[in-house]
Amino acid sequence: MSAAATFLQHLAESCTDDSFVRLSLTSPTPAAAPLQRILGRLIELRGERCLSFTLREARRDVTENVPLPAAFAWVEQRLGTRFTGASLATTRGDWQLQQGRDGELRLIRHKASHTAPPREHDEAKPTLLGETATPWLAGLGILDAQGRPRARLAGKHTQIARFAEILHHLARDAGFAVTAAKDAAPLSVVDVGCGKGHLTFAVWHLAHHVLQRPVRVLGVEQRDELVAAANSLAQQVAPGELQFATGDIDSAPLPAVDVLIALHACNTATDHAIRRGIEAKARLIVVAPCCHQEVRPQLAHPEPLTAVLQHGMLAERLAEWVTDGLRALVLEGHGYRCKVIEFVGSEHTQKNLLLAAVRRDDGDPGTAAASAAAREAAARLRTFFGVQQQALDPLR
């Protein structure tokens, strides 16, 4: 019996006697592209045993649930031709299939101690997007008719969930996390450059369902058709608390603002959003920068960086670093505490940097000194890299 056939036999036995722990197919051949690996787990789905396969690509995961015994043929079709490596973990030990230098597959057994995981289809994961989020997630097309994230939008669903999680923590830092009385003034949130409103709805959901606060959320977007579609859905799920308006980040009329958000606003649109938030004295400003173009052509090549910055990609990345560093310092120079954090894993989007700024209390004795130090640091940074002009200059 071949090594691959023996491996498949152990796989079938482990699924039958419930000793299965996990499966992975590795070492992809060119025929497997764009797949990088396949992970498998044994589940109960509508009373039927299945192998649930996660097909992992560079920027997304796709799930396929294949009933037994068809799942064994599914694996067999991919062994050797698309993947030349595989591992099977069971409660009795591990089996590893690997390709030797001669191209032949060999099977190796390892002693190991494992406990079989639960067989439930849906693994419980803490999330702020519970059943109350289903109407708007489905309305935006993120969920299918069964309430599951659509495969092609799994990354977007992850971004939304991660954003809600981060904003929940930031709300606490800004003093918004405590449930307010129903007759209290509504929390005012503005999302500029909101696109289809994915994250605008998430903000409303967090305030309304999680923080349980009165809230007024305004999404501002230039494209009329997106505004109309978002308003239609908002009337269904959040009447009176969520609306969308046509306008641009730089000049759209805004109400009083407690929280200002701008995610993936291109180039200097991020700077305009920061300026609008500072001018409104927003308690919380959250931006995810995108498309850093303004500083790049101005960037000087000071020693000892001259040789390094001859490489265009490195110069581009440094320009992003300098731009966002200046933005953080401007926020700190205007009385904010600023965090620079990862928005979501790079496998979901390369634009994953988030600047989160919480306004210091007016009576904080350290505010003036911290602001002055930040302004001085920004000036030194600009001088060192030769930045003559930046969109936040009106706030200097």
Side-chain angles (χ1 to χ4, degrees), residues 89-161:
T90 74
T91 58
R92 296 192 300 270
D94 295 352
W95 298 91
Q96 184 175 2
L97 191 66
Q98 59 186 30
Q99 188 177 54
R101 293 184 178 179
D102 58 2
E104 295 295 323
L105 294 177
R106 292 178 172 82
L107 187 62
I108 303 171
R109 182 175 183 178
H110 301 282
K111 291 183 179 181
S113 178
H114 301 291
T115 301
R119 304 305 187 194
E120 288 80 9
H121 175 229
D122 296 317
E123 297 179 350
K125 295 181 181 178
T127 177
L128 297 174
L129 302 181
E131 292 184 0
T132 52
T134 298
W136 59 269
L137 284 171
L140 291 168
I142 303 297
L143 303 182
D144 60 20
Q146 288 73 43
R148 299 172 301 193
R150 298 183 186 276
R152 64 184 178 83
L153 294 174
K156 177 63 69 175
H157 186 269
T158 299
Q159 289 183 43
I160 295 171

Side-chain angles (χ1 to χ4, degrees), residues 41-46 49-50 52 116-124:
R41 62 189 183 101
L42 183 63
I43 65 170
E44 292 277 356
L45 182 60
R46 292 186 288 274
R49 284 244 160 157
C50 301
S52 179
R119 304 305 187 194
E120 288 80 9
H121 175 229
D122 296 317
E123 297 179 350

